[in-house]
């Protein structure tokens, strides 16, 4: 049986990822999942990570909990699914840690790469779809929500993350597909489908 493809969506909060994760996973009949929180243990870690009450969480503890969530996610769900020939569509991946803990929290990128590569046993996404939405639009959308621990960060934090995502995409263009997140959902879905066909032939 051929291996499934591992597709991850990335982007800042409020960019509309979740809608397109659902649409693509449904179209491909893929396993739909997310980080953090794709497993039972991961859900527990997610609760700790996003809880605004944990405002004193150290950046290293945050990075290690994200990596732990991911290690469990890969071992329990992603790797077995790919091995059985199923595609996996995930809302976020290891690249979120490089963007948020690396560029956002300004932790050492080389160390984060090493820790995370170990956590995932070298299983990086085949394709990363980055939904690009201007920061002003995202900040406006966030005003309408109850904010989690990350969403309470300042604009500079999100700007560093955005720059980080763009830098990673630019340095690995074969793996990254950047899509403009501003068109209506159906139009964006078509762009994503066309990109997937061109990149992965599915
Ligand atoms: P979500 O709201 O997109 O599900 O993600 C929860 C938050 O966790 C979001 O603010 C991004 C953040 N995050 C990291 O900081 N590092 C990571 O590795 C992942 C997967 C998410």
């Amino acid at each position: 049986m051929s291996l499934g493809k591992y597709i991850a969506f990335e982007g800042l909060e409020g960019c509309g990822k979740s809608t397109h994760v659902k649409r693509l996973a449904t179209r491909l009949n893929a396993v739909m999942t997310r980080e953090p929180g794709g497993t039972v243990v991961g859900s527990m870690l997610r609760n700790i990570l996003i809880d605004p009450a944990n405002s004193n969480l150290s950046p290293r503890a945050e990075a290690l909990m994200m990596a732990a969530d991911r290690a469990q996610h890969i071992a329990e769900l992603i790797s077995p699914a790919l091995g059985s020939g199923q595609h996996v569509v995930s809302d976020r991946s290891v690249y979120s840690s490089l963007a948020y803990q690396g560029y956002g929290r300004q932790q050492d990128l080389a160390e984060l790469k090493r820790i995370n590569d170990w956590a995932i046993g070298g299983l990086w996404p085949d394709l990363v779809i980055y939904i690009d939405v201007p920061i002003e639009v995202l900040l406006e959308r966030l005003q309408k929500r109850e904010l989690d621990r990350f969403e309470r960060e300042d604009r500079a934090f999100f700007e560093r993350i955005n720059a980080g995502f763009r830098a990673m995409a630019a340095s690995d263009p074969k793996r990254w597909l950047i899509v403009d997140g501003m068109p209506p959902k159906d139009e964006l879905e078509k762009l994503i489908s066309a990109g997937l066909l061109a990149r992965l032939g599915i």
Side-chain angles (χ1 to χ4, degrees):
M1 190 176 288
S2 64
L3 289 182
K5 295 291 182 195
Y6 177 15
I7 301 151
F9 279 79
E10 295 285 1
L12 289 170
E13 12 282 289
C15 73
K17 276 181 292 104
S18 310
T19 302
H20 293 287
V21 165
K22 278 192 205 110
R23 288 190 180 197
L24 184 62
T26 305
R27 183 172 77 75
L28 295 178
N29 197 18
V31 172
M32 181 175 81
T33 188
R34 67 171 178 177
E35 286 186 9
T39 63
V40 172
V41 166
S43 297
M44 295 177 185
L45 290 169
R46 180 186 174 90
N47 288 339
I48 298 170
L49 283 159
I50 67 172
D51 187 347
N54 296 327
S55 57
N56 64 344
L57 196 62
S58 85
R60 287 184 185 210
E62 179 183 288
L64 289 169
M65 277 192 237
M66 288 292 181
D69 164 77
R70 178 164 299 127
Q72 186 64 25
H73 194 208
I74 289 276
E76 184 180 324
L77 197 134
I78 297 182
S79 185
L82 296 175
S84 72
Q86 276 187 291
H87 300 311
V88 173
V89 178
S90 183
D91 191 334
R92 300 195 181 279
S93 71
V94 58
Y95 288 106
S96 276
S97 264
L98 302 182
Y100 282 75
Q101 282 66 57
Y103 290 87
R105 302 273 192 233
Q106 298 175 302
Q107 299 299 291
D108 187 86
L109 268 178
E111 277 180 352
L112 278 173
K113 264 186 209 157
R114 201 160 45 82
I115 290 163
N116 278 281
D117 186 57
W118 181 76
I120 63 178
L123 185 56
W124 292 69
D126 294 302
L127 182 70
V128 186
I129 301 170
Y130 183 62
I131 304 195
D132 193 19
V133 173
I135 304 240
E136 293 70 38
V137 177
L138 298 172
L139 293 177
E140 213 179 293
R141 289 182 189 167
L142 283 187
Q143 281 180 3
K144 296 174 195 143
R145 293 192 189 178
E146 200 183 321
L147 301 181
D148 71 23
R149 198 172 61 84
F150 291 95
E151 291 162 346
R152 286 166 193 230
E153 292 295 334
D154 61 11
R155 184 188 172 114
F157 178 72
F158 294 114
E159 273 173 355
R160 287 197 298 278
I161 292 166
N162 199 29
F165 274 130
R166 284 162 178 273
M168 291 190 281
S171 72
D172 195 4
K174 277 200 184 135
R175 197 191 308 256
W176 286 72
L177 174 68
I178 302 183
V179 289
D180 174 5
M182 291 310 285
K185 286 175 187 168
D186 291 349
E187 213 173 295
L188 187 48
E189 187 181 356
K190 282 187 194 142
L191 283 175
I192 292 170
S193 293
L196 219 74
L197 189 62
R199 297 297 183 91
L200 299 179
I202 56 175

